[in-house]
Amino acid sequence: MELLNTLYVTTPESYLRLDNDTLRVMLEDDTRLRVPLHHLNTVVCFGRIGLSVPLMHRLAQEGIALVLLDDHGRFMARLEGPVSGNVLLRQAQHRQALDAAFTLDTARACVAGKIKNTRQVLMRGAREAKSDEDRAALSRAADDLAASLRALPGVADLDTLRGVEGEAARQYFGALSRLVKPDLRASFNMSDGRNRRPPRDRLNALLSFLYSLWMNDCRSALEATGLDPQVGFLHALRPGRAALALDLMEEFRAQADRLALTLINRGQLRAVDFQEREGGGVLLATEARKTVLVAFQERKKEEIQHPLLTQPVALGLVPLVQARLLARAVRGESEPDGQRLGYVPFITR
Amino acid sequence: MAAEDLEPVALSALQHWAYCPRQCGLIHLEQAFDDNLHTLRGNAEHARTDQPGVETAKGLRVERALPLWHDALGLNGKADVVEFSRSGTPYPVEYKHGSRHKAADIAACDEVQLAAQALCLEAMTGRPVLEGAIYYASSRRRQPVCIDEALRERVRQITQAVRAMLASGQLPPPLTGPQAARRCKQCSLHDRCQPETLGNSTLRALRQHLYEPD
Ligand code: SF4
């Protein structure tokens, strides 16, 4: 498996065009960048970016996904060539989504993945904490998450499951600011816990942006696998919502959180990199976005040992590995002994 | 069922099935196609055979990328190259990357595909096709293959098996044992199939301890 690049285009008013076998990024009359198409598997455009129809044709033909996001990183549209999609797998998925037992089992596994991975973030923070107060608070939150995790097998319906998940998230975000270096906490704390639409503090603004990047990758991974990103198990169906991508993303949230903390604690992002809008909304500034995107791309290149694969794999490919495991669960494939294991999320150490 | 009503099976599916039923399912049921080095090389070979060219040697008429079908068996597809002798007897040549020193069981998968082409050509022209050849690109050698009754029977059996799989919509399980060890490594769909994750004790353990904090 090869981790091909995603080209993120963030400069407003850029224009993308096809130039033989390369993609050319123009700003006014200047060429800013040339990328050979065979290095790409996705092109992501933020906000007001222009592009030519010949380029769109070529991207579709080469199987390079084109994703359009708005200024805030929210999903707008995606162009994909005719090979994508797999009607039989989708049919199986739709059938499974109507099966209460399968739905609950899969949703529960997704929540477990999220709780386990976020708990690791807290436990590592507790180990590295400089003050007793932080250590105690982080350990307490990690214990709370352990209790939520143990409660999962006994949960009998989706509403209760979502309740457990929501409670775990509250406890987690209540402690997360303690992972920010003490002298930076005045600028980066989560006074109100997790908030969005719009985010109302810097940490939330950064997390929202990183989540949208992971979300986009999870969505691409599902589509590449032939699953329908809109039909989820944990997340309820809602028009325009990629519920399955949200399900898959749960286990990757901790990755986004870790990167956010690294960027803040290493001083790569500072308070001035965020804009406060009238009324209290907070946005990551355009220039700072580039810093985040570069760091995100770098992080995705890091090789990790996936527990199920024999060879190390780039972190950026793990959503694809997981989407394929999800497809296997959706098809109802059995183990050699006839047992069905169901979905197993990606758990980090 | 009337012969024309049979859902046609692609000639290439027979080779895929002979190699691995799951690979056949992934490609023909789920329409998955992942390029790896092997298929990319294969495509390059095929690009060459798709080029129009005049073959003057031995006064043969050469048809490239010739559409083939067999209504009674319900097969269709294309032949890379079919040479027609002066008398009109067809001689199919299947182009394969790699060398002719392939393991016999893997070469046998190519032979099934070639034999299926021969059966199509017989049905289409009414002439017996008793021999064809596999051209191995790396060794640039032709390996003649006798289209005998055993091979014909394999074609018929595999066609039925593929059709049953397509009708059931069920993806076959991955290969196991020594076959898996030899074939999965070279399989173009390995990354998508992730065969090592099925029957994997780690997966089982992870699932068992999914709700326990560590
Ligand atoms: S990886 Fe192995 S089991 Fe999977 S499709 Fe290929 S040959 Fe078959």
Side-chain angles (χ1 to χ4, degrees):
Chain A
M1 259 186 282
E2 193 188 355
L3 181 62
L4 289 166
N5 287 317
T6 303
L7 174 69
Y8 293 96
V9 186
T10 53
T11 312
E13 314 301 341
S14 304
Y15 188 78
L16 315 184
R17 41 174 298 201
L18 180 66
D19 185 357
N20 291 319
D21 294 328
T22 61
L23 181 156
R24 191 167 1 162
V25 182
M26 316 274 299
L27 194 61
E28 304 198 323
D29 288 334
D30 295 340
T31 295
R32 288 301 173 93
L33 190 68
R34 273 202 183 86
V35 193
L37 289 174
H38 67 266
H39 285 163
L40 290 174
N41 76 345
T42 311
V43 176
V44 179
C45 301
F46 284 88
R48 274 172 308 157
I49 309 291
L51 74 164
S52 74
V53 172
L55 176 67
M56 291 166 76
H57 284 200
R58 186 62 188 278
L59 293 177
Q61 187 192 343
E62 303 281 331
I64 301 169
L66 171 68
V67 179
L68 305 181
L69 306 178
D70 74 2
D71 270 329
H72 306 276
R74 270 193 296 260
F75 182 81
M76 303 294 287
R78 178 183 177 94
L79 176 77
E80 187 107 46
V83 285
S84 76
N86 168 351
V87 70
L88 291 173
L89 185 57
R90 284 181 186 225
Q91 192 183 35
Q93 179 185 355
H94 296 173
R95 218 181 295 125
Q96 297 282 30
L98 297 175
D99 179 323
F102 182 90
T103 298
L104 183 62
D105 187 62
T106 308
R108 196 187 342 241
C110 292
V111 173
K114 173 183 184 168
I115 295 182
K116 279 198 152 181
N117 291 338
T118 50
R119 184 165 174 271
Q120 286 295 334
V121 175
L122 297 181
M123 294 203 311
R124 181 198 282 204
R127 282 197 298 275
E128 294 169 0
K130 297 275 183 293
S131 80
D132 290 343
E133 193 196 336
D134 283 348
R135 190 174 308 113
L138 288 164
S139 306
R140 217 179 308 120
D143 289 346
D144 289 341
L145 292 197
S148 299
L149 189 61
R150 284 198 203 90
L152 291 179
V155 163
D157 60 77
L158 275 180
D159 279 343
T160 318
L161 178 66
R162 291 180 188 132
V164 173
E165 190 260 327
E167 187 51 32
R170 253 189 306 283
Q171 279 149 351
Y172 172 70
F173 285 119
L176 196 67
S177 305
R178 291 188 185 267
L179 298 176
V180 175
K181 274 189 186 166
D183 55 324
L184 296 171
R185 277 185 210 167
S187 308
F188 293 95
N189 72 348
M190 259 186 183
S191 34
D192 286 335
R194 174 83 184 122
N195 58 56
R196 56 216 157 111
R197 290 193 212 138
R200 269 145 280 166
D201 58 65
R202 296 187 183 94
L203 189 48
N204 266 297
L206 178 55
L207 290 180
S208 288
F209 186 68
L210 282 167
Y211 290 160
S212 74
L213 298 177
W214 273 107
M215 171 68 186
N216 186 46
D217 281 10
C218 286
R219 186 183 180 120
S220 301
L222 293 169
E223 298 202 5
T225 305
L227 288 162
D228 181 345
Q230 291 204 309
V231 177
F233 301 103
L234 171 62
H235 290 83
L237 304 195
R238 194 176 291 166
R241 176 196 257 183
L244 190 65
L246 287 165
D247 289 0
L248 179 58
M249 198 185 109
E250 293 296 358
E251 62 207 75
F252 295 104
R253 285 185 189 268
Q255 296 290 341
D257 302 344
R258 281 186 177 178
L259 183 58
L261 291 164
T262 306
L263 286 166
I264 294 168
N265 287 336
R266 293 203 186 138
Q268 285 168 277
L269 284 181
R270 294 173 312 152
V272 293
D273 289 321
F274 295 80
Q275 294 164 346
E276 222 170 299
R277 305 302 307 272
E278 201 62 51
V282 177
L283 265 184
L284 192 58
T286 312
E287 277 305 305
R289 242 177 224 197
K290 284 187 191 155
T291 310
V292 179
L293 287 168
V294 169
F296 177 65
Q297 288 285 78
E298 287 304 313
R299 180 61 61 95
K300 285 203 298 182
K301 281 190 210 150
E302 279 173 25
E303 301 223 315
I304 55 128
Q305 189 57 57
H306 189 287
L308 298 175
L309 300 182
T310 41
Q311 304 204 339
V313 61
L315 178 63
L317 285 173
V318 177
L320 203 53
V321 173
Q322 294 301 126
R324 288 165 180 171
L325 288 173
L326 192 52
R328 168 172 298 174
V330 159
R331 286 190 205 104
E333 288 192 54
S334 316
E335 292 295 297
D337 64 359
Q339 213 191 333
R340 285 188 184 172
L341 286 185
Y343 180 60
V344 177
F346 169 60
I347 309 287
T348 42
R349 303 271 106 206
Chain B
M1 200 194 294
E4 295 80 73
D5 295 339
L6 285 177
E7 188 66 37
V9 167
L11 287 170
S12 60
L14 305 187
Q15 190 264 345
H16 295 138
W17 179 277
Y19 190 84
C20 166
R22 185 175 180 85
Q23 188 196 61
C24 181
L26 284 167
I27 295 172
H28 299 274
L29 199 56
E30 298 212 342
Q31 318 267 296
F33 220 120
D34 294 333
D35 281 333
N36 72 4
L37 201 59
H38 298 283
T39 56
L40 285 176
R41 277 208 203 110
N43 290 344
E45 294 313 325
H46 280 105
R48 221 164 303 145
T49 60
D50 280 342
Q51 282 166 15
V54 192
E55 201 106 0
T56 48
K58 298 179 237 159
L60 299 172
R61 181 163 57 83
V62 176
E63 290 278 353
R64 296 173 193 281
L66 184 68
L68 301 180
W69 65 90
H70 193 305
D71 285 339
L73 282 173
L75 287 172
N76 74 7
K78 262 196 313 192
D80 290 335
V81 167
V82 182
E83 298 171 351
F84 288 88
S85 69
R86 262 190 234 284
S87 65
T89 297
Y91 189 95
V93 184
E94 175 66 14
Y95 278 59
K96 293 290 174 195
H97 58 92
S99 92
R100 75 200 155 103
H101 303 296
K102 280 190 194 183
D105 63 319
I106 291 177
C109 305
D110 300 339
E111 288 169 13
V112 167
Q113 191 178 359
L114 183 75
Q117 294 174 5
L119 294 188
C120 291
L121 286 164
E122 281 183 351
M124 289 163 64
T125 64
R127 288 168 182 275
V129 181
L130 303 175
E131 196 184 292
I134 298 174
Y135 177 81
Y136 290 103
S138 342
S139 50
R140 296 168 181 256
R141 289 294 292 269
R142 266 186 183 202
Q143 184 73 43
V145 177
C146 169
I147 315 295
D148 61 13
E149 183 46 35
L151 205 46
R152 289 164 191 260
E153 184 51 27
R154 273 207 88 200
V155 171
R156 289 189 281 265
Q157 276 174 4
I158 290 179
T159 307
Q160 271 183 18
V162 172
R163 182 169 291 115
M165 185 267 298
L166 293 176
S168 76
Q170 292 293 314
L171 194 65
L175 296 177
T176 51
Q179 262 199 343
R182 293 181 42 237
R183 297 188 184 189
C184 293
K185 236 189 313 178
Q186 301 188 44
C187 170
S188 60
L189 295 180
H190 181 275
D191 287 346
R192 185 176 285 263
C193 171
Q194 298 179 172
E196 63 277 22
T197 60
L198 203 69
N200 178 315
S201 57
T202 313
L203 184 79
R204 201 168 286 242
L206 282 173
R207 180 71 198 195
Q208 252 152 31
H209 303 296
L210 194 52
Y211 303 109
E212 294 161 19
D214 28 27

